[in-house]
Each structure stands twice: as C-alpha cells, then as structure tokens.
Amino acid sequence: MNTATLRLALIASLLFNLGVLAALGWQQLAERASASGTPLLVRELQLDDRQQRQWQDIEAPFMLELNTSTLAIQQQRNQLIDHIFAEQLDAELIRAAQSTLAELQNRQQQLVIEQLLREREILDASQRQHLARLLMRQSPQRSDVETLHNE
C-alpha cells in the first residue's frame, strides 16, 4: 500500500472511532437524563409538582393505549403487505386491509390529539407555546418504504 492509501485508511479509521465515541457519549448522556426518572418532556416544559402529578395521571393510560394502537397498526400493515404480495392477487382484500389500516391510523391520530388537548389543560400559556414549538420542530419521520427506495 502506498502512503496516501495508508493515510486515507488511518483518517477513515479515526473518523469512525470518533463517531463511535460520540455515539457512546450521547448514549450515556441520554441514560443519565432518563435515569432521573423524569421524562424529557416534563423537564423541558419545567412542570411544577402539581402539573407533574396531573401529567403522570394522564400519561400512563395514554402511553398504554398508544402502544396498543401502534401494535395494531403494525399488524394491519403486515397483513396489507401479505395481501399485496400473495401468490393470488385479490384487489378486494387489499382494499379492505388498506381501509382498516387507514381507520387504525386515524384512530391513533385522534388519540394523540385528545392527549394533547388534555396536556394543554395542565400547562400555562408559556408552556403551551413551548410544547407547540417542540411539536412543530419535529420532522416527519421517513417511512421504511422511502428509506428502502432512496438508499
């Protein structure tokens, strides 16, 4: 190997190692933050004790319902994929599975909206504005399909 190739390999290795170290550092920071037992959003909005109690009262049932909803959506999505790639194509089964999936997604969206409305009642005006900004800054996640087709 020539010197330029070795130098390039060394730089690539160094960058990779730095990336790994940065990821481990970030993970430790995240673990320390979550080890406090206080959810990030509670800390971010600086909820007082009363607000934290109210938040906890509505958060646990919401997360349980959201997780159940997410699982149902994943199962229905898988069923739709199975229908799309079945040996015998059945357009009616595909339409029915798609309709059910859309209904489940719509219910989940409604669930989230209802939770945000409950949270809104707990927060003061400044906290509501802060939460709204946090939500607006979230970028929509790329779907797995987009990732598979673009990478």
Side-chain angles (χ1 to χ4, degrees), residues 7-144:
R7 209 176 282 152
L8 183 60
L10 180 60
I11 290 171
S13 175
L14 180 62
L15 289 174
F16 176 78
N17 289 331
L18 286 174
V20 169
L21 288 174
L24 289 172
W26 181 258
Q27 182 181 13
Q28 285 181 343
L29 284 174
E31 286 173 1
R32 266 191 257 140
S34 67
S36 72
T38 306
L40 177 61
L41 196 53
V42 169
R43 291 190 313 271
E44 184 71 31
L45 296 174
Q46 299 179 351
L47 302 182
D48 62 30
D49 290 340
R50 179 188 57 79
Q51 289 174 313
Q52 283 188 44
R53 283 190 302 278
Q54 290 175 317
W55 193 277
Q56 289 169 347
D57 289 345
I58 66 170
E59 189 72 7
F62 166 70
M63 290 306 297
L64 180 62
E65 198 170 351
L66 183 64
N67 289 336
T68 301
S69 173
T70 299
L71 180 59
I73 287 170
Q74 182 62 43
Q75 290 171 340
Q76 186 60 36
R77 179 181 174 271
N78 291 345
Q79 188 176 21
L80 175 58
I81 292 168
D82 286 344
H83 291 315
I84 290 170
F85 293 103
E87 279 300 316
Q88 295 289 39
L89 194 60
D90 186 333
E92 190 55 40
L93 278 177
I94 292 171
R95 276 193 289 279
Q98 180 186 16
S99 177
T100 301
L101 179 59
E103 184 180 315
L104 289 169
Q105 290 170 328
N106 191 46
R107 267 193 249 149
Q108 186 177 68
Q109 184 178 32
Q110 189 60 42
L111 174 70
V112 170
I113 290 169
E114 289 168 1
Q115 178 68 9
L116 290 173
L117 289 170
R118 284 188 291 272
E119 292 171 359
R120 181 186 196 284
E121 295 303 313
I122 294 171
L123 304 174
D124 63 31
S126 173
Q127 291 166 324
R128 284 193 301 267
Q129 289 174 349
H130 188 66
L131 179 55
R133 283 191 303 274
L134 287 171
L135 293 169
M136 286 184 215
R137 276 195 305 218
Q138 286 182 327
S139 61
Q141 303 254 331
R142 285 178 68 181
S143 72
D144 293 338

